[in-house]
Amino acid sequence: MKKKVYKAHILYTKERNRFEVLENGYVAVDADGRVSEVASDLKSLDCGDWEVTDFVDCLLIPAMNDLHVHAPQYRNQGIAMDLELLPWLQNYTFPEEMKYADLAYAERMYRRFVHDLWRFGTMRACVFATIHTDSTRLLMRIFQEAGMGALVGKVAMDRNCPEGLSEPVGEMVLGYEDLIAEFNNPDALVRPIITPRFVPSCTPETLRACGELAAKYQLPVQSHLSENKDEVALVRTLENTWYGDAYNRYGLFGQTPTVMAHCVFTEGEELELMRRNRVVVAHCPTSNLNVASGMAPVRKFLDNGLRVGLGSDISGGHDLSIFRMMVYAIQVSKMYYQQNHDRSFLTLSEAFWMATKSAGSFFGRVGSFEPGYEFDALIIDDSDLNHDNYSLLERLERYIYLGDDRQIKHRFCRGKEIFGQ
Ligand code: GUN
Ligand code: FE
């Protein structure tokens, strides 16, 4: 790749409480796809005769990261909103995921899914697939072809589910080893992630095997945690301990980099262990609304030093756009604030930081334009939303609240422009 310089209005968050804003700024990107420098004028950039591209009057921001999404639930997006988590899984989700034994069906749906992530400017995602090794491999290859970053999990599950979605632990391990042999290059954009579905779906043997795989291959881990009251009670009955401890016992709670979705009911020792083990929260506000789980105490997480990013959680969530997820996160935090009166609600810069730099940290140096960060970026032409002399920050806020894929003109992942397939 050649060295490049891009000119535009640059906005990003180094820190969660404030935006960096460069009007008509420049970002220099090295041949390896990393930011070498950001500057407000070209003369101060040490970039010799690098090629300069001017995105006249556009916004240049970090690309979006989705920390929790289920690719095989794409057909169920926007339907089946009338049940809470446990019956919702049994009635709607598991029957759909069983279809992914069929590779032709998987290919059709997975191509659509990856294309739509691309459309909404999400260049990195933590993705759940299904138990099926072949369709999981296919999904990983589709991400590779697209040039986008993804941690993709073959789902481990062997209890409280239909027979067609239950995989004996030995086969599960062999399936993982097959995927690891093909994909486990630590620098690759697409990698496996160890994915026990959640404690109620996994026998102790499967949880133990997942922990051993994570340790042996030094792979990250993703799962669900404390999403719904009935689920939390079920885990207590099944494992005779609190939810986070049930993962921790098996080496699935920060022993390797770990992201846990939801955490609506996380508090006390669970919260403290997450902080100590640097377990990342994937906050999924739309899912928590649709499946009627509740409101995650995100302000408390941030104030306690937890790492937090945003997730769409299709199809518990109905919206794939991480921009929209920022809006929902802020709105849900305002409802939470009204009910609890003890902590202030989320700001725009906090929501933006969660979606970019904070979530991006799960993928490496991703989500900011500081030197050394991988250049994952979006070029937003908001001229159709920008008729009245708004400041650059107001333009970004209006894009987040009002915009969609139509304003995204270019998408970059690790320095390369990514074109939809
Ligand atoms: N917990 C276990 N599986 C799932 C799932 O597919 N979606 C959500 N929202 N929660 C889960
Ligand atoms: Fe989920």
Side-chain angles (χ1 to χ4, degrees):
M1 235 182 309
K2 276 177 59 181
K3 296 180 180 183
K4 298 255 171 67
V5 176
Y6 300 106
K7 179 181 182 190
H9 305 311
I10 301 171
L11 299 103
Y12 62 108
T13 42
K14 274 193 219 172
E15 294 158 30
R16 71 172 151 111
N17 288 323
R18 77 188 166 93
F19 281 97
E20 310 296 319
V21 181
L22 287 91
E23 185 171 358
N24 286 312
Y26 299 84
V27 54
V29 180
D30 269 327
D32 64 359
R34 289 178 187 272
V35 174
S36 65
E37 227 179 316
V38 172
S40 43
D41 81 86
L42 195 54
K43 283 190 239 65
S44 67
L45 269 187
D46 177 23
C47 61
D49 56 354
W50 296 13
E51 179 185 314
V52 179
T53 306
D54 186 355
F55 296 114
V56 179
D57 203 32
C58 288
L59 309 179
L60 195 173
I61 61 174
M64 296 296 109
N65 304 294
D66 189 336
L67 274 193
H68 184 77
V69 61
H70 298 262
Q73 296 176 21
Y74 208 40
R75 189 190 172 278
N76 283 357
Q77 185 185 24
I79 58 174
M81 307 282 190
D82 58 343
L83 293 174
E84 281 196 35
L85 178 65
L86 298 177
W88 175 85
L89 286 169
Q90 297 290 344
N91 284 281
Y92 303 124
T93 307
F94 293 161
E96 178 60 20
E97 290 193 11
M98 284 169 73
K99 297 184 192 167
Y100 286 73
D102 174 354
L103 266 183
Y105 183 74
E107 171 145 24
R108 186 150 48 89
M109 301 307 286
Y110 281 163
R111 284 198 184 281
R112 245 186 245 171
F113 170 75
V114 173
H115 179 75
D116 284 348
L117 275 181
W118 171 87
R119 267 179 57 209
F120 287 108
T122 299
M123 292 293 118
R124 312 261 180 165
C126 282
V127 184
F128 279 56
T130 58
I131 64 163
H132 310 99
T133 301
D134 288 343
S135 56
T136 303
R137 182 187 301 108
L138 179 71
L139 176 59
M140 296 178 83
R141 288 182 180 165
I142 293 170
F143 273 114
Q144 277 186 332
E145 265 176 51
M148 292 154 60
L151 294 167
V152 180
K154 167 187 159 71
V155 173
M157 53 196 286
D158 65 343
R159 70 174 167 185
N160 296 320
C161 59
E163 208 177 311
L165 264 198
S166 177
E167 188 175 43
V169 60
E171 286 170 41
M172 181 275 285
V173 171
L174 288 176
Y176 260 106
E177 290 191 326
D178 204 32
L179 295 172
I180 291 165
E182 178 171 345
F183 294 98
N184 197 22
N185 164 3
D187 296 327
L189 277 169
V190 180
R191 295 181 65 211
I193 180 167
I194 303 299
T195 306
R197 180 176 207 112
F198 68 158
V199 170
S201 293
C202 299
T203 59
E205 293 70 37
T206 282
L207 291 170
R208 183 170 304 112
C210 283
E212 287 168 2
L213 281 168
K216 180 171 176 191
Y217 297 102
Q218 284 301 296
L219 286 172
V221 169
Q222 62 179 352
S223 194
H224 298 89
L225 180 71
S226 299
E227 175 179 5
N228 162 286
K229 281 189 175 153
D230 292 343
E231 170 209 21
V232 172
L234 178 58
V235 170
R236 162 74 57 187
T237 312
L238 291 169
E239 293 293 317
N240 200 25
T241 188
W242 42 281
Y243 207 154
D245 188 50
Y247 288 120
N248 192 46
R249 285 175 176 181
Y250 298 107
L252 295 166
F253 211 58
Q255 288 77 7
T256 60
T258 299
V259 58
M260 287 285 161
H262 307 300
C263 308
V264 173
F265 300 101
T266 293
E267 57 180 7
E269 46 192 347
E270 185 164 285
L271 193 153
E272 176 52 27
L273 189 58
M274 290 184 78
R275 192 187 60 72
R276 267 210 318 275
N277 289 3
R278 296 186 49 74
V279 175
V280 180
V281 176
H283 174 43
C284 307
T286 56
S287 175
N288 299 155
L289 293 170
N290 293 330
V291 197
S293 296
M295 299 181 283
V298 177
R299 163 66 61 213
K300 188 162 74 181
F301 295 156
L302 293 177
D303 288 353
N304 279 278
L306 262 64
R307 301 166 67 194
V308 186
L310 299 178
S312 65
D313 195 25
I314 302 296
S315 63
H318 62 281
D319 198 330
L320 198 55
S321 163
I322 297 298
F323 290 103
R324 212 52 49 73
M325 224 47 57
M326 293 183 209
V327 176
Y328 282 115
I330 293 168
Q331 291 175 334
V332 166
S333 79
K334 290 176 176 172
M335 293 296 103
Y336 186 88
Y337 168 81
Q338 285 302 329
Q339 301 247 303
N340 294 276
H341 300 292
D342 54 348
R343 311 226 180 211
S344 56
F345 45 76
L346 296 176
T347 64
L348 187 74
S349 72
E350 287 175 320
F352 192 86
W353 173 85
M354 286 196 280
T356 56
K357 187 171 175 180
S358 184
S361 70
F362 201 69
F363 302 96
R365 300 195 79 190
V366 171
S368 180
F369 296 141
E370 292 152 76
Y373 271 72
E374 300 185 34
F375 185 67
D376 282 28
L378 304 176
I379 305 296
I380 311 286
D381 177 355
D382 63 337
S383 47
D384 57 340
L385 305 172
N386 176 26
H387 302 294
D388 213 7
N389 280 324
Y390 294 105
S391 71
L392 290 177
L393 259 182
E394 287 170 338
R395 282 174 56 182
L396 178 62
E397 185 166 12
R398 277 171 64 84
Y399 173 70
I400 291 169
Y401 275 80
L402 308 178
D404 55 41
D405 57 314
R406 287 171 295 185
Q407 289 86 21
I408 306 179
K409 297 302 173 194
H410 303 274
R411 299 152 177 87
F412 295 87
C413 183
R414 198 179 268 178
K416 263 181 64 182
E417 182 159 7
I418 306 300
F419 300 96
Q421 313 216 331

